[in-house]
Amino acid sequence: MSTKRSSPGEWLTQPEQDAWRAWIAMSTVVPAAIERDLQRDSGLSGPDYRVLSTLSEKPEQRWPLKELADAVLWSRSRLSHHVDRMAQRGLVCRQLDPHDGRGCILALTERGREVLSAAAPLHVDSVRRLVVGLLDDDELEIVGRVARRLADHVQP
């Protein structure tokens, strides 16, 4: 379903440039606004929320670091450093991985569950107010489809 727009090295057409600039504006201001709300409402950063919410999706709320890194699309090193800061705040803890002597399991702590439980409804309200509530069902489907297509192209 690829449409040939222009040849490599050619300038963007006006419609292409308009779409690209709109994309840049959206991908800059919307996440920043959502993160501002999250920080104001819960004291969590976007990355904090991403780690906590992803950990909470497992029934036992534990993930091997390497699998969690894949789930949040981060390098293991980035996740490890971020988790160190979150552990200092009592939101997560590291446990030995019984299946991999060099690996570790990351677990949501009781404090992490409490912070996430308080933050989640406010975060959802922000996402609804700033994104999904502004789009009708057809637009939501298109945005989802376009976002998945672009993400899958870059990182299958």
Side-chain angles (χ1 to χ4, degrees):
M1 178 179 245
S2 179
T3 301
K4 179 112 166 96
R5 297 261 179 226
S6 52
S7 300
E10 288 183 27
W11 292 110
L12 297 177
T13 64
Q14 193 61 51
E16 289 170 338
Q17 188 174 61
D18 292 346
W20 176 242
R21 286 186 177 177
W23 175 272
I24 293 297
M26 177 209 61
S27 64
T28 302
V29 300
V30 173
I34 291 170
E35 181 139 358
R36 265 193 313 275
D37 286 355
L38 186 61
Q39 184 70 43
R40 179 198 66 219
D41 296 340
S42 67
L44 293 173
S45 68
D48 290 341
Y49 188 87
R50 190 163 184 189
V51 169
L52 292 175
S53 64
T54 305
L55 272 173
S56 77
E57 292 170 2
K58 286 278 194 186
E60 65 281 1
Q61 300 178 331
R62 300 170 67 238
W63 285 54
L65 184 135
K66 62 187 173 192
E67 290 179 23
L68 183 61
D70 291 343
V72 297
L73 305 174
W74 291 356
S75 70
R76 290 180 195 171
S77 175
R78 177 182 178 192
L79 179 59
S80 183
H81 289 295
H82 193 82
V83 163
D84 287 345
R85 292 186 296 275
M86 292 179 73
Q88 290 174 352
R89 293 165 35 219
L91 301 173
V92 297
C93 66
R94 290 176 184 260
Q95 301 169 345
L96 292 176
D97 186 339
H99 305 294
D100 179 357
R102 296 177 300 154
C104 74
I105 304 288
L106 301 177
L108 197 58
T109 63
E110 184 60 36
R111 172 152 169 66
R113 278 188 287 283
E114 291 168 0
V115 168
L116 180 61
S117 292
L122 299 170
H123 180 61
V124 169
D125 288 347
S126 178
V127 170
R128 188 173 308 287
R129 181 174 44 81
L130 296 171
V131 182
V132 299
L134 301 174
L135 305 173
D136 65 31
D137 290 346
D138 290 338
E139 290 168 328
L140 279 173
E141 192 275 326
I142 290 167
V143 167
R145 189 176 49 198
V146 168
R148 281 187 297 278
R149 182 175 172 191
L150 295 174
D152 290 349
H153 175 73
V154 174
Q155 185 167 353

